[in-house]
Amino acid sequence: MKRRYFLAFIGSIALSCLLSAGINLFSSTITTAQTQTILVSAAASLKEALEEIKPEFEKAHSNIKVNYNFGASGALQRQIEQGAPADVFLSAATKQMDALAKAGLIDTTTRRNLLTNRLVLIVPKNSALKISDFRSLTNSNVKRIAVGEPRSVPVGQYSEEVLKNIGILEQIRAKLVFANSVRNVLAAVETGNADAGIVYITDAKISDRVKVVATAANNLHSPIIYPIAVIKASKNPQAAKTFTQYLTSAAAKNIFEKFGFGIAR
């Protein structure tokens, strides 16, 4: 009889341990399922807008956390091609997204054109140089013009198209100072290390140390389109899709427009 009670006692302890372990495992699984973190690789020009969107998105979707990786679109493209982790790619030009699509690295069903932008010529706020339009860049007193590196920085590609279509590219080529992101172009003008620079209107809007002196006509460059897509290798594809869909919401659009972006049609 004592042996029977002893075995029953041992059995009850073992069952309790198993139940406890099962509950803990279940609880851990639920916690993991409730919180997913996605990494969004996005063009540098989107930094302020996306950072303002982040808390609003996370408030609406408490089970998804968002981290950002900002940089030149070409550099981000190469990172993804080389296997760097990313769940969403948001580029400042279609060229980089097209390359990833051709390589089979994005979920093409999630691709859409999200935003538009405008190209502007800026100078330091206290500049004494008489620069009133793009053609003024040929003036002899203009020594350094900051632009994005056209092969990897979309704003550089658009800038080169404008200068070529106006017919002054070769005339001012020796003055061009190439930067590896649009924000570095902005910084060069802000600090006076460049007499002028070509950036997006959205970059000019966030700085009180530069002034816009001219806006490029849309027919002088390729359409400035920001496409977005989920990366095929994403470990959290559904969360990534939820985020991309949120960026088309009225709340997100209001923030983008506040920073000067246009909404792609």
Side-chain angles (χ1 to χ4, degrees):
M1 184 66 70
K2 289 182 179 180
R3 176 180 175 80
R4 184 185 305 166
Y5 285 129
F6 177 74
L7 290 174
F9 176 69
I10 293 299
S12 66
I13 292 177
L15 181 60
S16 296
C17 289
L18 287 171
L19 287 173
S20 176
I23 290 171
N24 288 337
L25 178 61
F26 179 73
S27 175
S28 174
T29 301
I30 290 297
T31 301
T32 301
Q34 287 179 339
T35 305
Q36 299 179 65
T37 300
I38 61 171
L39 179 61
V40 179
S41 288
S45 52
L46 291 158
K47 186 174 186 295
E48 286 72 21
L50 286 180
E51 286 182 339
E52 187 164 318
I53 286 172
K54 176 179 175 176
E56 299 303 317
F57 171 78
E58 291 180 345
K59 188 188 301 181
H61 301 276
S62 58
N63 63 321
I64 304 174
K65 302 301 178 187
V66 180
N67 290 330
Y68 293 125
N69 174 31
F70 294 108
S73 299
L76 298 176
Q77 171 204 331
R78 289 192 297 273
Q79 289 174 14
I80 294 169
E81 288 172 337
Q82 293 166 6
D87 297 287
V88 175
F89 181 44
L90 183 42
S91 174
T94 57
K95 175 183 175 182
Q96 290 75 25
M97 190 67 79
D98 290 342
L100 293 186
K102 186 176 181 180
L105 296 175
I106 65 169
D107 178 350
T108 55
T109 66
T110 66
R111 179 176 177 173
R112 61 165 59 93
N113 291 334
L114 187 66
L115 303 168
T116 64
N117 215 330
R118 297 297 302 274
L119 205 65
V120 296
L121 178 64
I122 59 171
V123 298
K125 188 104 179 201
N126 59 357
S127 175
L129 298 179
K130 294 182 178 180
I131 303 175
S132 58
D133 56 26
F134 286 92
R135 292 188 184 280
S136 301
L137 298 177
T138 63
N139 295 346
S140 59
N141 59 351
V142 178
K143 305 297 184 183
R144 293 167 62 85
I145 306 162
V147 294
E149 205 291 317
R151 291 171 297 181
S152 61
V153 184
V155 76
Q157 170 198 329
Y158 301 128
S159 300
E160 187 175 75
E161 291 173 357
V162 169
L163 298 174
K164 185 180 295 184
N165 287 327
I166 290 176
I168 65 172
L169 178 60
E170 295 309 318
Q171 192 175 346
I172 67 170
R173 189 179 290 278
K175 300 181 182 183
L176 300 181
V177 179
F178 297 103
N180 61 11
S181 78
V182 67
R183 290 305 167 86
N184 285 342
V185 176
L186 178 65
V189 180
E190 285 179 325
T191 57
N193 288 324
D195 299 317
I198 304 176
V199 299
Y200 300 121
I201 184 65
T202 51
D203 298 291
K205 279 178 173 290
I206 66 169
S207 176
D208 59 3
R209 298 164 65 188
V210 303
K211 59 184 177 182
V212 175
V213 295
T215 301
N218 287 332
N219 63 356
L220 292 176
H221 58 78
S222 304
I224 301 175
I225 300 293
Y226 288 67
I228 189 171
V230 173
I231 300 301
K232 192 174 287 187
S234 170
K235 294 182 179 179
N236 298 296
Q238 191 53 54
K241 290 177 184 177
T242 299
F243 179 75
T244 62
Q245 290 164 1
Y246 182 85
L247 294 188
T248 66
S249 68
K253 287 179 180 178
N254 288 339
I255 293 175
F256 283 130
E257 289 177 331
K258 167 187 167 183
F259 283 92
F261 290 97
I263 306 302
R265 304 302 176 190

